[in-house]
Amino acid sequence: MSHHLVEVKDLQYRYPDGTAALNGISFLLTHGEAAAIIGANGAGKSTLLLHLNGCLMPQTGEVRIGGLPLNKDTLAHVRRTVGMVFQDPDDQLFMPIVYDDVAFGPLNLGLPPAEVDQLVNASLATVGASHLKDRPPYRLSGGEKRAVAIAAVLAMSPDILVMDEPSAALDPKTRRQLIELLHTFKHTRIIATHDLDLVLDLCSRTIILKDGRVAADGPTLEILQNQELLDSCNLEKPLCLQGCPVCGAKSGAIV
Amino acid sequence: MGNIETSLLNIGYLETLSYQQTPLQRLDPRVKLLTTLVFIIAVVSFGKYEITGLIPFVIYPVALIAVGDLPPAYLARKILLAAPFAFFIGIFNPLLDRTILVHLGPVAISGGWVSFASIMLRFCLTVSAALILIAATGLNAVCLALDKLGAPRAFVMQLLFLYRYIFVLTDEALRLVRARALRSFQGRGLGLKVFSFMIGQLLLRTLARARRIHLAMLSRGFAGRIHLLRPLHLGGRDVLFLLGWSTLFVLLRWYNIPHLLGNLAAELIG
Ligand SMILES: Nc1ncnc2c1ncn2[C@@H]1O[C@H](COP(=O)(O)OP(=O)(O)OP(=O)(O)O)[C@@H](O)[C@H]1O
Ligand SMILES: [Mg+2]
């Protein structure tokens, strides 16, 4: 199923004010893979993600989604294939009620009303937000907003899901529910996050960014146990890989 | 501070109202839009000293508020929020125009005061009609109606985004005001200099956020048009609404009903 492939080749990006945010990034993700993009603040994670659905266009290098190079002609197709959950749900929700917001994408795709209705209900149910259907989005809690934002993206039936810090500002239980939810997806998933425990739970592969470059790319367990590497990238071992502070025992029982 | 917060944030409430299920909300958006336009044109086209002729027009907002189950106090507050603009437009009239127009017993009223009152009355009528249009229809549907009625696409888009960004702007303004209030003590930090920085900040932040929102919309396939699930459907009730009200407005515009009634009464007595 080549349409779930994500390939980035020597991607560079410089913001108009001169900040070099990406300095040559390359990787290839295959079908159904869940990859984490981690790195310090300002490492370039969000900038990278914005390239994956053409919110930013590559200045040098190339992005290929499902074998197609990202350019003006393929933009519509790419946006349909790649569902993007933004860092701040407030940026994403803008219709007066939740139902209409989730319907926004499918309607833009030109689907018939009956099908849209079904899609909206199904995706709200998937994220457990059916009861929020008639509420205005700006009156929801942070976690509810996040759930609705994810539903809005799911309703477009993307093949690839891209998320920028999905677990930020969630309470422990909601965060757990989100992780369970993401576990059930068969999509190719790309998650930029600072939540390394979530990475450990969810992603088999991890890419570390540092100053707009790939500092490491490999199996999550291997990377998150490399103390030296993590230190050099301003990161910290996830709690569950650290020794138990109470009894001093090393916990390594995670696989 | 509390006041700004509640009044501004509540713009969203206007939209929420349009989801109520009353006969008013169910009308076709195009019909409500056109009726509102006829109403506004009729009100605005009166001469500058007109007051009595304007008063019967109050029936339109009153009737719609009743039928649409809209909260009058909330709408009144929104009108008050915008009232200073009309106030400053009209307030110079009494100074400039001092010809005596009316004698109420011993009190002489100049043309300036009459036209000032007329401006304020017209302002209240038109703004309440516009607010009611949005509360009864929702701005997305209004834009859709504009589009269907052949308004230029660029204009409809501008309106859509302008409206969307008002929320963003007020949101950002709120955060700034709050951040400043939390770190200002005994009036320090509340001066004009900080204020001018804040305006600059507000603009930049709003632009940045507007950009992100636009990207998020594009990511979900937005191509210059907001689609709504409820299809537009012009029924007999819609046509009746439009024709009924429009006829009334035209009549009220041509015949000064309070005058006629007054004359009639005078004749009957005399
Ligand atoms: N709109 C912009 N204009 C100019 N520079 C920007 C802009 N957005 C981000 N940058 C810069 O680009 C670099 C990468 O930013 P980016 O937002 O991708 O980081 P990030 O890894 O997502 O950080 P965080 O973990 O804090 O979200 C930073 O140095 C940042 O200052
Ligand atoms: Mg970021």
Side-chain angles (χ1 to χ4, degrees):
Chain A
M1 295 242 278
S2 72
H3 58 277
H4 295 192
L5 284 182
V6 178
E7 187 175 14
V8 174
K9 271 195 239 163
D10 189 34
L11 185 63
Q12 305 188 12
Y13 188 82
R14 189 184 280 273
Y15 277 104
D17 67 349
T19 317
L22 302 179
N23 300 306
I25 289 188
S26 305
F27 59 81
L28 169 71
L29 298 180
T30 51
H31 166 62
E33 202 167 15
I37 312 271
I38 62 176
N41 290 128
K45 302 181 295 292
S46 300
T47 311
L48 172 61
L49 295 197
L50 287 176
H51 279 88
L52 297 181
N53 77 340
C55 282
L56 294 177
M57 283 295 182
Q59 287 170 342
T60 350
E62 198 181 20
V63 174
R64 295 177 82 87
I65 304 292
L68 284 176
L70 170 65
N71 56 36
K72 286 223 155 48
D73 300 327
T74 56
L75 191 60
H77 176 78
V78 166
R79 288 206 168 131
R80 177 164 192 180
T81 315
V82 180
M84 176 90 144
V85 181
F86 281 74
Q87 188 161 355
D88 183 354
D90 279 323
D91 293 343
Q92 213 176 326
L93 306 173
F94 52 87
M95 296 291 275
I97 63 164
V98 166
Y99 181 91
D100 280 352
D101 211 293
V102 178
F104 178 76
L107 284 174
N108 284 334
L109 294 179
L111 301 178
E115 196 176 325
V116 171
D117 181 64
Q118 205 183 337
L119 273 171
V120 171
N121 287 324
S123 22
L124 279 173
T126 310
V127 300
S130 300
H131 60 291
L132 302 175
K133 207 156 85 171
D134 298 318
R135 300 265 304 272
Y138 55 88
R139 294 248 176 93
L140 300 180
S141 81
E144 291 168 336
K145 280 184 196 167
R146 177 85 54 187
V148 172
I150 293 176
V153 169
L154 288 182
M156 299 182 67
S157 331
D159 297 323
I160 299 163
L161 268 180
V162 175
M163 304 195 184
D164 201 348
E165 312 207 6
S167 67
L170 296 189
D171 69 44
K173 184 148 175 249
T174 317
R175 172 178 166 278
R176 181 50 54 195
Q177 284 166 352
L178 175 74
I179 293 178
E180 302 296 331
L181 176 67
L182 294 182
H183 257 306
T184 62
F185 291 166
K186 301 280 176 288
H187 312 74
T188 303
R189 280 148 291 166
I190 304 172
I191 303 172
T193 181
H194 295 293
D195 183 347
L196 298 188
D197 289 283
L198 171 141
V199 172
L200 206 56
D201 257 4
L202 209 59
C203 305
S204 53
R205 174 161 166 201
T206 296
I207 297 171
I208 302 191
L209 293 192
K210 189 187 179 194
D211 302 328
R213 289 197 176 77
V214 176
D217 179 356
T220 298
L221 254 179
E222 222 168 81
I223 287 193
L224 292 186
Q225 274 174 326
N226 187 339
Q227 188 72 52
E228 219 173 294
L229 175 66
L230 293 179
D231 280 344
S232 74
C233 297
N234 274 5
L235 295 168
E236 210 175 43
K237 255 191 195 181
L239 283 177
C240 57
L241 286 184
Q242 292 178 12
C244 164
V246 180
C247 60
K250 277 275 178 201
S251 112
I254 321 256
V255 173
Chain B
M1 197 175 90
N3 260 335
I4 298 185
E5 294 200 6
T6 43
S7 61
L8 289 186
L9 279 189
N10 250 338
I11 302 183
Y13 182 51
L14 205 58
E15 284 286 306
T16 318
L17 289 172
S18 68
Y19 283 88
Q20 289 177 325
Q21 288 297 327
T22 78
L24 180 62
Q25 272 84 352
R26 275 196 292 269
L27 284 174
D28 188 294
R30 286 170 292 185
V31 164
K32 286 181 275 190
L33 177 67
L34 286 176
T35 312
T36 309
L37 284 179
V38 176
F39 177 82
I40 290 177
I41 291 170
V43 166
V44 172
S45 66
F46 272 106
K48 81 179 209 190
Y49 295 126
E50 190 60 62
I51 290 184
T52 48
L54 284 169
I55 289 175
F57 279 89
V58 173
I59 189 170
Y60 177 68
V62 168
L64 263 56
I65 285 174
V67 176
D69 196 15
L70 305 173
Y74 169 80
L75 292 174
R77 274 201 302 277
K78 288 284 153 294
I79 295 175
L80 276 183
L81 209 66
F85 293 104
F87 184 80
F88 284 112
I89 292 172
I91 194 59
F92 292 107
N93 286 5
L95 301 176
L96 301 176
D97 182 355
R98 290 166 184 262
T99 43
I100 303 299
L101 212 66
V102 195
H103 283 280
L104 274 185
V107 188
I109 299 178
S110 74
W113 282 111
V114 175
S115 65
F116 173 66
S118 175
I119 284 179
M120 291 310 280
L121 192 57
R122 271 184 251 199
F123 165 80
C124 288
L125 285 172
T126 48
V127 171
S128 61
L131 286 174
I132 288 171
L133 173 67
I134 296 176
T137 316
L139 198 93
N140 288 331
V142 172
C143 286
L144 187 71
L146 277 169
D147 194 46
K148 281 268 151 59
L149 289 172
R153 175 63 63 78
F155 170 73
V156 177
M157 283 273 285
Q158 287 294 328
L159 188 63
L160 209 57
F161 279 101
L162 188 72
Y163 188 69
R164 170 66 189 137
Y165 293 150
I166 286 176
F167 289 89
V168 178
L169 187 81
T170 52
D171 245 31
E172 291 294 349
L174 194 70
R175 286 186 216 183
L176 279 173
V177 167
R178 195 186 283 146
R180 180 178 70 161
L182 288 177
R183 288 190 289 156
S184 308
F185 299 99
Q186 285 140 22
R188 258 176 289 166
L190 293 174
L192 206 61
K193 193 161 153 234
V194 179
F195 185 72
S196 59
F197 283 139
M198 279 176 57
I199 294 291
Q201 269 287 312
L202 180 62
L203 209 69
L204 289 178
R205 281 201 203 191
T206 305
L207 283 176
R209 241 195 109 194
R211 212 186 116 254
R212 291 202 303 275
I213 290 170
H214 189 222
L215 283 179
M217 291 176 78
L218 290 178
S219 298
R220 287 203 275 151
F222 179 68
R225 177 181 261 207
I226 289 202
H227 305 268
L228 293 177
L229 264 182
R230 290 159 292 282
L232 294 188
H233 175 73
L234 212 55
R237 283 178 343 121
D238 300 304
V239 178
L240 200 66
F241 182 87
L242 176 61
L243 291 183
W245 281 112
S246 301
T247 317
L248 181 65
F249 298 151
V250 171
L251 284 178
L252 290 178
R253 175 66 187 85
W254 253 268
Y255 302 102
N256 191 327
I257 305 288
H259 261 202
L260 290 182
L261 286 180
N263 290 347
L264 194 68
E267 259 170 45
L268 286 180
I269 295 167

